[in-house]
Amino acid sequence: MTDMGLRMLKFTTRASMGYFTPGLGSQRPGADPEKTAFLEPAADRPEVGSNMIGFGGAMTEKGRGLHFSNPHFPWSGIERLWMAHITVPGELDVFGGTLLGVPLPGVGFNAGQAWSLTWADDARATYHELELSPESPTMYRVDGEWLEMTSKTIEVPSLNASGDVETVERTVYETIYGPVIQHPFLPWTAGRAYAIDDFNRLNNRFMPFLMGLAKAQTVEEVRHSNMATMGNPISNVISSDSKGDVLFASYSVAPNVDQAMIDRCVTTPTGRAMLAQMRLIIMDGTRSDCRADGIIPAENRPSLIRDDYAVHSNNSHWIV
């Protein structure tokens, strides 16, 4: 169960903390960025995307749903898809593609409906620029008080260049916002550091989200289960059912940050530049009120049900 939980965590955070995995645990507090050896990004992280089209009864000869799925996941590595037919008599009968270590399909079909997922480009995390104490690079100021980071050293078995297993130690530093990251654009210097507040880090609703897709027999049931779990970490959903209805839904996890908070809290030169150039939300870490209050609620997420078609190819729902 621990291994499965870690596997779920790796997938749910792939569009947030997953971008900074090489820099988590390799930090040198207060190091000169000119002398810091940054690890290269993971080689097995290709650009990914997907296409999906759901046709409704108004566009099919027999008046029932028709579904097309084109997931662009890699052909190798742990993110490749494998096919599975899962049956529990009287409870579950579903067929589809899933990731290694994930026991339920991410794309698939049952007797009543078929569904697909595509990459959604919402922000999954916010970032906080920390003002560090001149006395210590692990002390940061919040609301006028100096707080001490906590640290944890993790031992990880790893293959060395000779193919032998050896233990590698990494130390992760935590703040009230989340772990400190290390990146050439966001270096940990003597005066500044950056923490990531990842709203998928505590997402333990991914499996209920997949189970809801696997058991739903209509697009209404798909939408209801999406709204009820809010466990979809990174994806849009399109579903087509045997009644001839199609659904587009985007009930994925995203921090509840509105424009007023961005105007109030993204105030530093780095924050403004990164928002404009890379759409990273880097807020003032010296103020505790500059932190998102949870995720965007289901009632504020977009969805629609039609009888003709729904299509998505890796861009905002406003362009569908």
Side-chain angles (χ1 to χ4, degrees):
M1 291 298 294
T2 299
D3 287 346
M4 187 177 296
L6 291 172
R7 179 67 182 95
M8 299 302 105
L9 180 64
K10 182 183 187 302
F11 181 76
T12 57
T13 59
R14 66 172 297 161
S16 41
M17 288 174 61
Y19 290 140
F20 299 95
T21 300
L24 284 171
S26 64
Q27 307 98 321
R28 294 167 53 203
D32 183 341
E34 297 293 330
K35 300 177 182 178
T36 300
F38 295 102
L39 298 180
E40 292 296 323
D44 64 345
R45 187 182 296 126
E47 291 297 320
V48 294
S50 299
N51 303 297
M52 55 185 179
I53 306 174
F55 295 102
M59 297 190 69
T60 63
E61 182 178 357
K62 295 185 178 181
R64 301 194 297 181
L66 178 65
H67 201 80
F68 169 79
S69 179
N70 177 219
H72 292 174
F73 268 67
W75 291 98
S76 60
I78 66 171
E79 304 295 14
R80 68 184 184 273
L81 295 174
W82 62 281
M83 304 305 293
H85 185 185
I86 303 170
T87 58
V88 179
E91 294 290 333
L92 186 66
D93 187 3
V94 63
F95 186 95
T98 188
L99 302 174
L100 293 175
V102 180
L104 288 168
V107 296
F109 65 91
N110 56 34
Q113 60 90 24
W115 78 92
S116 300
L117 308 178
T118 58
W119 190 270
D121 57 3
D122 301 72
R124 307 299 170 189
T126 59
Y127 305 82
H128 297 264
E129 185 170 332
L130 308 175
E131 177 188 333
L132 303 182
S133 168
E135 299 178 1
S136 170
T138 60
M139 293 184 67
Y140 60 106
R141 187 167 67 90
V142 179
D143 297 336
E145 297 184 7
W146 293 106
L147 305 180
E148 181 69 41
M149 298 177 188
T150 60
S151 64
K152 182 177 182 179
T153 299
I154 302 170
E155 294 184 348
V156 182
S158 178
L159 288 178
N160 60 25
S162 302
D164 299 321
V165 177
E166 62 180 13
T167 299
V168 177
E169 289 189 350
R170 294 285 185 264
T171 300
V172 178
Y173 293 84
E174 289 273 356
T175 71
I176 62 171
Y177 304 112
V180 178
I181 57 177
Q182 182 73 291
H183 191 273
F185 293 143
L186 303 173
W188 188 349
T189 67
R192 289 285 183 272
Y194 297 86
I196 182 171
D197 196 358
D198 188 340
F199 286 81
N200 267 314
R201 190 182 186 187
L202 298 179
N203 179 5
N204 59 1
R205 307 175 305 279
F206 183 45
M207 288 305 298
F209 160 68
L210 292 181
M211 181 61 77
L213 291 173
K215 298 186 73 171
Q217 297 296 312
T218 67
V219 297
E220 281 286 4
E221 292 178 4
V222 171
R223 177 157 68 176
H224 176 76
S225 67
N226 272 243
M227 295 182 70
T229 62
M230 285 301 293
N232 179 353
I234 58 173
S235 304
N236 302 299
V237 176
I238 283 182
S239 168
S240 312
D241 68 22
S242 60
K243 297 192 306 178
D245 291 325
V246 293
L247 164 76
F248 169 84
S250 184
Y251 293 106
S252 56
V253 171
N256 193 12
V257 177
D258 59 13
Q259 188 61 48
M261 177 173 277
I262 290 175
D263 293 341
R264 178 168 54 88
C265 294
V266 181
T267 57
T268 67
T270 298
R272 292 190 180 115
M274 296 299 277
L275 182 64
Q277 297 171 16
M278 302 181 67
R279 298 197 306 164
L280 292 184
I281 303 172
I282 302 178
M283 296 196 282
D284 184 352
T286 68
R287 298 161 51 191
S288 62
D289 64 337
C290 287
R291 189 178 191 184
D293 183 19
I295 64 174
I296 299 174
E299 57 267 26
N300 292 342
R301 300 293 303 183
S303 70
L304 59 83
I305 292 178
R306 305 171 61 95
D307 66 355
D308 48 6
Y309 71 93
V311 59
H312 197 267
S313 297
N314 300 118
N315 218 311
S316 167
H317 54 271
W318 303 114
I319 301 178
V320 172

